[in-house]
Amino acid sequence: AATRACRFGSFAAERSARASEARYRGLLDSMGVVAWEYDVKADRFTYVNSQAERLGGYTAADWYEPGFWATSLHPEDREHTVRTCRSYTERGLDHILEYRMVARDGRPIWIRDIVTVDGAPGPPIRLHGVMIDITDLKRNEILQTGQRDIMEQIARQEPIGTILEALCRLVERLQPEFRCTVMEADKARGVLCC
């Protein structure tokens, strides 16, 4: 009877642990963040929640490929971000990174990545954390800064060409897939001038 009670207690504890884990994962999914775990030596994610597939259109299998994280980074951010993460990780320091990933469809996604390092004392074994999509926040920052700069140029009465150039650069920063140009209509000659 004692053996049966022990088995039942073990089964109940395991069932309770599974239910607790399911609640925890459900909570993470409802928060809209990518929860992840990363094996440092294997250079690959060992866990990502369902939000990972929604973030950039990559499948879970893509996320689990060795080296996926570094190759998914925006080319302009890749070297600095990898170097910074490696530096903190080698020293066993938790850290927060902001960088751009490139979605499967090519659009940039701004990420705030909150990273915890496991393995101390000794070399780091595993990283885990959450990625938060901050693209809208970054776009708003770019827009507000750009608007302020253009208004300052207008207040300083800078040449219209300089102001229009700044406006074009702002549009291109907000929509990297666009190339912006300004054309001037010459009514007398009936032509457009750049």
Side-chain angles (χ1 to χ4, degrees), residues 10 12 15 32 43 45 85 98 141 154 163 168 171 173 190 193:
S10 156
R15 195 165 128 201
D43 186 29
F45 289 101
C85 184
E98 284 191 6
E141 286 177 8
I154 292 169
I163 295 168
C168 284
V171 170
R173 285 190 71 204
C193 306

Side-chain angles (χ1 to χ4, degrees), residues 173-187:
R173 285 190 71 204
L174 291 170
Q175 298 291 341
E177 67 276 14
F178 290 1
R179 289 298 161 254
C180 189
T181 188
V182 176
M183 307 286 282
E184 179 183 345
D186 185 335
K187 291 181 184 179

Side-chain angles (χ1 to χ4, degrees), residues 6-184:
C6 184
R7 283 188 202 146
F8 179 75
S10 156
F11 175 74
E14 184 178 320
R15 195 165 128 201
S16 175
R18 273 194 236 134
S20 178
E21 183 176 338
R23 280 193 305 275
Y24 175 69
R25 288 185 180 192
L27 176 64
L28 284 173
D29 287 343
S30 72
M31 294 173 65
V33 299
V34 176
W36 56 268
E37 190 171 81
Y38 197 86
D39 182 314
V40 174
K41 188 173 184 181
D43 186 29
R44 70 181 192 87
F45 289 101
T46 54
Y47 170 76
V48 291
N49 68 341
S50 65
Q51 290 294 326
E53 293 188 12
R54 294 184 191 111
L55 179 65
Y58 296 104
T59 66
D62 293 330
W63 282 82
Y64 293 135
E65 283 293 316
F68 168 79
W69 178 71
T71 59
S72 72
L73 297 176
H74 191 284
E76 293 174 12
D77 297 350
R78 184 175 298 133
E79 183 181 336
H80 171 75
T81 303
V82 170
R83 185 177 57 243
T84 302
C85 184
R86 184 174 294 135
S87 173
Y88 280 109
T89 299
E90 287 172 353
R91 292 180 285 150
L93 301 174
D94 298 345
H95 50 283
I96 298 174
L97 302 168
E98 284 191 6
Y99 54 83
R100 290 169 292 175
M101 284 183 76
V102 178
R104 186 180 287 279
D105 63 10
R107 68 190 155 80
I109 305 168
W110 276 98
I111 302 294
R112 179 171 293 139
D113 202 350
I114 303 168
V115 183
T116 302
V117 181
D118 287 345
I125 298 168
R126 173 177 45 257
L127 306 176
H128 57 88
V130 292
M131 293 179 185
I132 304 165
D133 181 347
I134 59 168
T135 303
D136 290 339
L137 176 68
K138 284 294 187 179
R139 287 177 54 85
N140 287 337
E141 286 177 8
I142 290 168
L143 181 59
Q144 288 174 1
T145 301
Q147 286 175 329
R148 186 190 66 238
D149 292 347
I150 290 168
M151 294 304 289
E152 288 174 0
Q153 288 178 335
I154 292 169
R156 290 190 304 264
Q157 298 181 345
E158 293 193 17
I160 189 70
T162 302
I163 295 168
L164 292 174
E165 175 73 19
L167 184 59
C168 284
R169 298 298 76 84
L170 176 59
V171 170
E172 290 175 352
R173 285 190 71 204
L174 291 170
Q175 298 291 341
E177 67 276 14
F178 290 1
R179 289 298 161 254
C180 189
T181 188
V182 176
M183 307 286 282
E184 179 183 345

